[in-house]
Amino acid sequence: MNRPELPEIDALLHIPQLSVQNANAISGPHSWGHPGPTHFTGLMTALQRKLGADSGLSFVAVGIVSHGYQAQTNGDYVQRFNLTRNPVGKDGSTAAIVEEGRIHLQLSLLFGLQLNTQRRAASDAELDELAQQASRTLQTLRIAGGSVLPGHSRLQPRLIRLDEDADVRSQQFRRLCRYLLPGYALVSRDDLLLQHHTTLREQDATATVLDAWLGQCRINHTPVTDDAGKTEWQHSRSAGRGWIVPLPVGYGALTPLYEAGTVARCRDPHTPVRFVESLYSLGEWLSPHRLRDYRQLLWYPGYHPENGVYRCHNDYQAPSLTEPTPLGVTA
């Protein structure tokens, strides 16, 4: 399967400190928590359609930085969603409870943009006004099913035109990362899943990728007995591995692609349709100051027609243990 590449982008649009109420906390059948990247690539498409062609902006990727969250759950060891009965029925009686997971979010978004010829020649004042317009439009949309609450941040939306020189671009991004702190950026860790699968295969040749994914999503406690006969319990998640999470990254086809209008009760009768299931991988939350390039932060959608895979990609690569981590900007 050929992996798509992030298209060249001309600018970054930073929308800071959004407060989202009651976002969807169940992105897939096997995990819950912060919405996955597919929610935000969908938001990116909706925002571009809402702004229209006259904006001169083409949205190609989105970065997700969380500043805080509040899952709507209760319980101590076992968490349960706070559920509601609404709306009421036609006769005023309460409806049956349908399990819905909700979460309040505080986040910043960073969109990768391509500019048309007019926008490339626009002044800084025009770009600032365009960023304000995009921010106002975004607040009229749903983010992962949640509503954007009104509020004012000290930080203003900004549209940054990237320089053609790669070093200057890197400095522009790292300077922008200061406005993403404190927070955690979501990046892909497909490599950890493949490494763990290889490790399991060395112990058991029948181990599958699903076994590796389940092994990374839980903490296993095993008893270890030393030569003196003393037994200690050790967990499988060692220190320093980072904040690794299971992550729904897209969808895989279950059926052929049906012609538009041939499947009853579809939402859009003018678009071809197929049935799909969720695809999972691993992600990591890490501080934005650890990122060196905007490609490490941005998620972009990809389609693989040969096997019917629709999934989001991210180009983050973990640094080696001996590689220093940049802590600031020298510009």
Side-chain angles (χ1 to χ4, degrees):
M1 183 171 64
N2 295 325
R3 191 177 188 278
E5 295 181 353
L6 175 65
E8 287 294 329
I9 63 175
D10 305 313
L12 294 171
L13 173 61
H14 175 214
I15 307 294
Q17 299 289 343
L18 291 166
S19 298
V20 183
Q21 184 183 48
N22 287 333
N24 179 25
I26 308 177
S27 297
H30 301 300
S31 63
W32 68 277
H34 197 282
T38 53
H39 287 279
F40 297 94
T41 53
L43 170 70
M44 178 178 71
T45 303
L47 179 58
Q48 176 169 332
R49 291 177 178 176
K50 195 83 172 180
L51 289 173
D54 293 340
S55 68
L57 305 179
S58 178
F59 290 70
V60 298
V62 57
I64 309 155
V65 178
S66 174
H67 303 292
Y69 66 91
Q70 184 181 23
Q72 299 304 291
T73 61
N74 63 81
D76 298 325
Y77 183 74
V78 177
Q79 295 287 301
R80 296 173 291 272
F81 288 116
N82 298 337
L83 302 178
T84 60
R85 282 182 172 181
N86 54 15
V88 297
K90 293 181 180 179
D91 57 353
S93 60
T94 55
I97 290 180
V98 178
E99 186 177 49
E100 292 179 332
R102 298 186 179 91
I103 186 171
H104 299 336
L105 304 172
Q106 189 77 25
L107 52 83
S108 293
L109 298 176
L110 190 68
F111 294 98
L113 307 176
Q114 291 176 339
L115 307 179
N116 65 9
T117 306
Q118 179 185 359
R119 293 304 180 190
R120 287 176 186 163
S123 65
D124 291 342
E126 291 173 328
L127 294 182
D128 289 341
E129 175 54 33
L130 192 57
Q132 294 286 347
Q133 179 188 352
S135 177
R136 291 192 296 268
T137 304
L138 180 64
Q139 295 181 29
T140 66
L141 302 176
R142 293 275 187 170
I143 298 180
S147 304
V148 180
L149 298 179
H152 298 283
S153 169
R154 290 185 303 169
L155 301 177
Q156 296 297 316
R158 57 176 61 192
L159 203 161
I160 302 168
R161 191 165 31 208
L162 294 175
D163 195 271
E164 295 182 356
D165 184 81
D167 293 336
V168 178
R169 281 189 173 206
S170 179
Q171 291 182 2
Q172 287 177 308
F173 173 71
R174 289 161 63 180
R175 189 178 298 113
L176 178 60
C177 283
R178 295 176 176 176
Y179 298 96
L180 302 177
L181 296 172
Y184 288 91
L186 181 62
V187 299
S188 173
R189 292 307 306 270
D190 294 347
D191 57 318
L192 285 181
L193 184 61
L194 298 177
Q195 288 174 13
H196 192 56
H197 184 218
T198 302
T199 302
L200 291 182
R201 294 272 295 180
E202 293 174 353
Q203 304 167 359
D204 181 0
T206 63
T208 65
V209 179
L210 178 60
D211 295 325
W213 183 78
L214 291 173
Q216 290 292 301
C217 296
R218 65 193 178 208
I219 301 177
N220 297 321
H221 294 265
T222 55
V224 178
T225 304
D226 58 18
D227 297 336
K230 183 178 180 182
T231 300
E232 291 186 354
W233 286 86
Q234 296 182 354
H235 60 78
S236 58
R237 185 159 296 187
S238 57
R241 292 194 52 204
W243 188 359
I244 308 298
V245 292
L247 190 65
V249 293
Y251 305 95
L254 293 174
T255 65
L257 189 64
Y258 297 112
E259 296 289 338
T262 58
V263 178
R265 299 181 179 180
C266 286
R267 179 182 298 178
D268 182 1
H270 306 293
T271 303
V273 64
R274 76 193 326 170
F275 295 91
V276 298
E277 62 179 350
S278 295
L279 298 178
Y280 274 90
S281 183
L282 296 175
E284 181 177 2
W285 292 102
L286 70 155
S287 179
H289 81 271
R290 298 185 181 279
L291 303 177
R292 301 184 176 188
D293 190 272
Y294 60 82
R295 294 178 182 83
Q296 296 180 320
L297 174 62
L298 297 181
W299 290 85
Y300 54 97
Y303 170 49
H304 308 275
E306 66 274 13
N307 49 13
V309 169
Y310 306 78
R311 65 159 295 178
C312 295
H313 298 277
N314 171 255
D315 294 341
Y316 175 78
Q317 292 183 344
S320 62
L321 295 178
T322 56
E323 193 173 357
T325 301
L327 296 178
V329 180
T330 56

